[in-house]
Amino acid sequence: MTTSTTPRVCRGIGEFRTALAERLAAVPGEASLGLVPTMGALHEGHAHLVRLAREENAVVAVSVFVNPLQFGPDEDLERYPRTLEADLELLARCGADLVFAPAVEQMYPDGEPLVRVTAGPLGAVLDGASRPGHFDGALTVVNKLLNITAPPGPVPFRAYFGEKDAQQLLLVRRMVADFDLPVTVRPVPIVRDADGLALSSRNRYLDAGQRHAALVLPATLRALAAGELDLDAARARIDAEDQVRLDYLVVVDPRTLAPVAPAPGTLALVAAHVGSTRLIDNLAL
Amino acid sequence: MTTSTTPRVCRGIGEFRTALAERLAAVPGEASLGLVPTMGALHEGHAHLVRLAREENAVVAVSVFVNPLQFGPDEDLERYPRTLEADLELLARCGADLVFAPAVEQMYPDGEPLVRVTAGPLGAVLDGASRPGHFDGALTVVNKLLNITAPPGPVPFRAYFGEKDAQQLLLVRRMVADFDLPVTVRPVPIVRDADGLALSSRNRYLDAGQRHAALVLPATLRALAAGELDLDAARARIDAEDQVRLDYLVVVDPRTLAPVAPAPGTLALVAAHVGSTRLIDNLAL
C-alpha cells in the first residue's frame, strides 16, 4: 500500500526517469504506469483522475507544472495558484507514487522551446480562438511530459485527462494518434460541487457573488440538454446574468468540434468570464 | 552476420514494432538500435549512414518514406525517385536488419495530420524561407518515425542524419532536446563524388551539362573556406555560371543559423537551382 505515504517529489527530468524505472522494476511482470498531468492547485476533480490511475496501474505519477507556454500575455500565469504542500497531501490520500514538479528552467533549459507542437485547425476554434496559442503551448508540454514519462516498451502506459477541458482532451487524443505516441489516453468525467459548478482550480478566484452567478453555466447546459431551451434562449439566459460575460455557447460534434444541431451524441460547450475569471464547462447531450 | 541477406521489409507500423522487438529480444544484454530515416533513392551517402549505424548498434533499421508533408505544392513530390528494389540491394550490402517502408495511408491514416510539429524561427530562414512548411513537414515525420521506432527504455537508441541537410540536422537536434525524445542524434559527414559534388538523390535529375555546372557549388565553398574569395565574390562566381540560379550563399553560426563573418567554426551554406533541380551543399570553415 502506498496510499498513506507522501509521494516522492522529483524536480529534475533525470531524477524522475530514474525513480520511474526503479518503481517499475519493483513490480516485474505486472508493471504498468499511469500519468496524471496537472498544473497543481489540485481539487477533487484531480483526485478522481489520480484514483482512477491508482486503480488501473501499478505505478502512478502526477506531474505538477504551471506551463508558461499555454498562458497568453494577458492571462493569469502570475496569479495562477501554486499550492504544492496541499497538493502533496491530496496526492498522498489518493495513493500517487511519484510527483514530477519541475521548475520552468528544468522543462525549458534554453528558454522557450524553438521547436513546438502546433494544434492545427482544431486548436484555432472555441477556446483556441479566445486564447491564441493556448493549445499549441498545452500540447507542447503534454508531448514533453509523455516523452519524459514513457516507460519501457511493453509496459502499459496510460495518461489521464479530465473531460472538463473537452477541447484539450480531443487535441491530446489527436496528438497521440498523429504522433504515434505509445500511450493510452483515459478520459475522466467532470466532477461538480453540490451546487453543480464544475470543479476548477480557477474557482478559487471567485467571490461569493461571482460563484453564485457562475451557476448559470451548468444550469444552462442542463436546460439545453433537457430540451428546455434552444441555443439562442440559452445564450440569452447567460447574457442576462450580471457579472457573467459569455464567450461562447455552442453544440458541436465531439470529434470535429464542428457546430451541429443539438442531438444525442453531441456536446454542449460553454466558456464565460465571471468577473476576471474565465470558466469553461460542458455537457454531453 | 546479417550483411549478406536482404533486410526484412515492414509495411505496417505494428508489424515494424513487432519485428523491432523480436530483433532486440534476440540480443539481450547488448541490445541497441540504430535508425536511419530516409526517403529512399539511396546512394553512397546513405550507405555511410547505414554502415555507421551498423558499427554502433546491434539492430539497424532504415525507414524509406517519401513524406508528402515536406514537399511544397510546386515541388517534386510526384517525380521524386522511388527505387525500393535498388534500395534493398544497397541496404543488404550495408547490413541493415529491417526496412520500414510504409505507404502514405499507413503513416497518415486519417489524411494529413491535424496536430503537427512546427520548426519555429530556425525553420523559417534559408531553406525554410525558400520552402515554406518544409521543415514543419520534415520534423513532423521524423518525430513520428522516432516514436514508432523507440525501443524499450534502457536500450540505446541512435538516429543517423547526414550533414548535407545541415539545417535539418540542427532542427532535429533542437526537436530532440525540446521534446525530450529518448534518442541520440548521430551526424554523418557529407559524401562527395570524385568531382566534388555532394551526393544527393536529386543529382539523378541533372543532365551532363547541368551536372558539370553544379560543380561550381562545391568549388565555391572550397574557395570560400580557403579564403580565396569573400562572400560577394563567391556569390558572383556562382551567378556567373550559366544554368545555375543561386538561392542563397551564407556563412552562419552553426548553432543559430545567424549570419556571421567567415571564421573557423562557422559554416558556409549554399542552395541553388540547376535547371529545375534544387541542390544544397555546405562546408565547415
Side-chain angles (χ1 to χ4, degrees):
Chain A
M1 285 295 287
T2 55
T3 51
S4 58
T5 56
T6 302
R8 173 168 166 193
V9 179
C10 302
R11 298 291 184 172
I13 291 173
E15 176 193 0
F16 178 53
R17 282 178 161 158
T18 301
L20 279 171
E22 287 171 359
R23 298 289 175 128
L24 289 165
V27 284
E30 56 180 276
S32 56
L33 175 60
L35 172 69
V36 184
T38 81
M39 298 208 301
L42 303 181
H43 51 65
E44 194 56 27
H46 297 101
H48 270 61
L49 299 170
V50 180
R51 288 197 198 100
L52 182 60
R54 179 75 282 165
E55 286 172 19
E56 296 184 341
N57 299 279
V59 177
V60 174
V62 178
S63 61
V64 173
F65 180 61
V66 182
N67 173 37
L69 298 190
Q70 70 194 71
F71 287 79
D74 298 324
E75 291 186 357
D76 56 347
L77 173 61
E78 294 305 321
R79 77 161 175 159
Y80 197 87
R82 274 88 167 168
T83 61
L84 188 61
E85 285 307 309
D87 293 346
L88 293 177
E89 287 177 25
L90 178 146
L91 293 174
R93 288 199 304 275
C94 297
D97 298 306
L98 295 169
V99 172
F100 178 48
V104 171
E105 300 71 37
Q106 285 158 325
M107 288 294 273
Y108 306 122
D110 302 319
E112 292 205 346
L114 295 177
V115 177
R116 302 194 188 198
V117 179
T118 179
L122 287 178
V125 298
L126 301 173
D127 270 21
S130 301
R131 306 183 66 188
H134 167 68
F135 289 114
D136 294 353
L139 292 184
T140 295
V141 82
V142 170
N143 179 54
K144 275 179 78 82
L145 290 168
L146 294 173
N147 285 333
I148 289 168
T149 311
V155 174
F157 179 32
R158 305 177 183 98
Y160 296 77
F161 292 88
E163 290 179 348
K164 186 167 81 72
D165 289 307
Q167 190 173 4
Q168 170 181 276
L169 173 60
L170 175 67
L171 280 164
V172 168
R173 286 178 184 280
R174 201 59 252 176
M175 177 173 74
V176 165
D178 285 341
F179 285 10
D180 293 294
L181 289 167
V183 66
T184 301
V185 175
R186 297 283 284 122
V188 181
I190 295 175
V191 179
R192 298 180 182 281
D193 266 334
D195 59 10
L197 190 66
L199 296 192
S200 166
S201 300
R202 291 185 168 99
N203 288 353
R204 69 191 72 191
Y205 298 152
L206 304 173
D207 66 28
Q210 289 169 337
R211 174 163 181 115
H212 183 78
L215 297 178
V216 73
L217 302 178
T220 303
L221 289 175
R222 287 195 305 270
L224 198 57
E228 298 164 13
L229 296 175
D230 66 14
L231 257 179
D232 285 341
R235 288 181 183 128
R237 175 170 172 182
I238 295 172
D239 281 330
E241 182 68 48
D242 266 3
Q243 308 194 70
V244 178
R245 181 165 53 83
L246 183 63
D247 182 355
Y248 60 77
L249 173 65
V250 291
V251 175
V252 301
D253 180 327
R255 292 155 305 185
T256 63
L257 302 180
V260 292
T266 64
L267 187 67
L269 297 167
V270 67
H273 284 87
V274 181
S276 63
T277 302
R278 190 170 184 281
L279 300 178
I280 59 175
D281 199 351
N282 67 78
L283 194 63
L285 301 189
Chain B
M1 286 295 287
T2 55
T3 51
S4 59
T5 57
T6 301
R8 173 168 168 193
V9 179
C10 302
R11 298 291 184 170
I13 291 173
E15 176 192 1
F16 178 53
R17 282 179 162 157
T18 301
L20 280 171
E22 287 170 1
R23 298 288 176 130
L24 289 166
V27 285
E30 56 180 276
S32 56
L33 175 59
L35 173 69
V36 184
T38 82
M39 298 209 301
L42 303 181
H43 51 64
E44 195 56 27
H46 297 101
H48 271 61
L49 299 171
V50 180
R51 287 197 198 99
L52 182 61
R54 179 74 282 163
E55 286 171 19
E56 296 184 341
N57 300 279
V59 176
V60 174
V62 178
S63 61
V64 174
F65 180 62
V66 182
N67 172 38
L69 297 190
Q70 69 194 71
F71 288 80
D74 298 324
E75 292 186 357
D76 57 347
L77 173 61
E78 292 306 320
R79 75 161 176 160
Y80 197 86
R82 274 87 166 170
T83 62
L84 188 61
E85 285 305 310
D87 293 346
L88 293 177
E89 287 176 25
L90 179 146
L91 292 173
R93 288 199 305 274
C94 298
D97 299 304
L98 295 171
V99 173
F100 178 48
V104 171
E105 301 70 39
Q106 284 157 325
M107 289 293 274
Y108 305 122
D110 301 320
E112 292 205 344
L114 295 177
V115 177
R116 302 193 188 199
V117 179
T118 180
L122 287 179
V125 298
L126 301 173
D127 268 23
S130 300
R131 307 183 66 188
H134 167 66
F135 289 115
D136 294 353
L139 292 184
T140 296
V141 81
V142 169
N143 179 55
K144 275 178 78 81
L145 290 168
L146 294 173
N147 285 334
I148 288 168
T149 311
V155 174
F157 178 31
R158 305 176 183 97
Y160 296 77
F161 292 88
E163 290 179 349
K164 186 167 80 70
D165 289 306
Q167 190 173 5
Q168 171 181 275
L169 173 60
L170 174 67
L171 280 164
V172 168
R173 287 179 184 279
R174 201 59 252 177
M175 177 173 73
V176 166
D178 284 341
F179 285 11
D180 293 293
L181 289 166
V183 66
T184 300
V185 175
R186 298 282 286 121
V188 182
I190 294 175
V191 179
R192 297 179 182 281
D193 266 334
D195 59 9
L197 190 67
L199 297 193
S200 165
S201 301
R202 291 186 169 99
N203 288 353
R204 69 190 73 190
Y205 298 153
L206 303 173
D207 66 27
Q210 289 169 337
R211 177 166 176 112
H212 183 77
L215 295 179
V216 73
L217 302 178
T220 303
L221 289 175
R222 288 195 306 271
L224 198 58
E228 298 163 13
L229 296 175
D230 66 14
L231 257 181
D232 284 341
R235 288 181 183 129
R237 176 169 172 182
I238 295 172
D239 280 331
E241 182 69 48
D242 267 4
Q243 307 193 72
V244 179
R245 182 165 52 83
L246 183 63
D247 182 355
Y248 61 77
L249 173 65
V250 291
V251 176
V252 301
D253 179 325
R255 293 155 304 185
T256 63
L257 302 181
V260 292
T266 64
L267 187 66
L269 298 166
V270 67
H273 284 86
V274 182
S276 64
T277 302
R278 190 170 184 280
L279 300 178
I280 59 175
D281 199 351
N282 67 78
L283 194 64
L285 301 189

